[in-house]
Amino acid sequence: MYQERYFRPAYFEALEKIKAVADKHGLRLTEIALRWCQHHSELTAKDGVIIGATSAKQLEENCSDRMPPPGVMDGDTMIRRGYSMILFCATVAIIGVYALGLGQLLPSTRIPFLDALVEDKHYKYLIPLWIPTTTAFVIANWVGWQYYQNS
């Protein structure tokens, strides 16, 4: 019954590809499976993964496999930082638009920083340059997160 469902050539071909990636990155197949269950399945933070073991060594491996590698942030922290960077970019964009054009058309705001920026002839061009720099930084972090997520 189960052999008809799970013993298909496409599954074994996919397994060979996963083995190649695992060997390349020094991972075990059980490690990949456990991390996939925790980070890519429909599980939420309230759910858990039940692990089993036939030896103490296997139990230790399963417990250590559930932890991300040292120096890697968890998904929630990464998402919060991503939103913070997006908010920062939006703030810089709004200030840049105000400093370069809108501030000339509107009356004084009585906010010393914004009024000085509108009257300035040099530094107001620095603010809009932060936009592409910060955008590139956000994209680089997103690509790095996607690489970690899919490894």
Side-chain angles (χ1 to χ4, degrees):
M1 174 174 141
Y2 289 108
Q3 285 186 347
E4 291 176 15
R5 181 182 291 176
Y6 297 113
F7 281 36
R8 297 183 182 206
Y11 293 166
F12 289 106
E13 291 171 13
L15 185 60
E16 290 303 318
K17 290 179 183 178
I18 292 171
K19 280 183 184 178
V21 171
D23 292 341
K24 178 180 174 185
H25 294 285
L27 301 170
R28 292 182 318 281
L29 290 177
T30 54
E31 182 177 5
I32 292 172
L34 185 58
R35 286 191 184 168
W36 184 90
C37 287
Q38 291 178 323
H39 301 290
H40 298 284
S41 66
E42 294 296 321
L43 296 176
T44 65
K46 295 179 183 178
D47 296 323
V49 175
I50 298 173
I51 58 173
T54 57
S55 67
K57 179 183 179 218
Q58 198 176 54
L59 181 61
E60 288 175 12
E61 288 175 350
N62 286 344
C63 290
S64 67
D65 290 348
R66 67 178 235 27
M67 303 301 293
V72 175
M73 288 184 273
D74 67 335
D76 292 338
T77 303
M78 186 65 76
I79 289 170
R80 280 195 300 276
R81 287 193 178 179
Y83 282 132
S84 299
M85 285 188 265
I86 290 169
L87 181 62
F88 175 73
C89 285
T91 303
V92 168
I94 290 168
I95 291 173
V97 167
Y98 179 79
L100 288 177
L102 204 55
Q104 306 294 329
L105 305 173
L106 297 175
S108 173
T109 62
R110 295 186 186 155
I111 299 173
F113 170 73
L114 291 178
D115 291 340
L117 199 56
V118 168
E119 294 171 11
D120 185 66
K121 300 295 181 211
H122 302 288
Y123 289 110
K124 68 179 174 184
Y125 298 108
L126 179 65
I127 301 279
L129 289 176
W130 283 358
I131 296 169
T133 305
T134 308
T135 302
F137 182 72
V138 168
I139 290 170
N141 277 294
W142 180 80
V143 168
W145 174 245
Q146 293 301 315
Y147 175 75
Y148 165 72
Q149 215 175 14
N150 294 321
S151 66

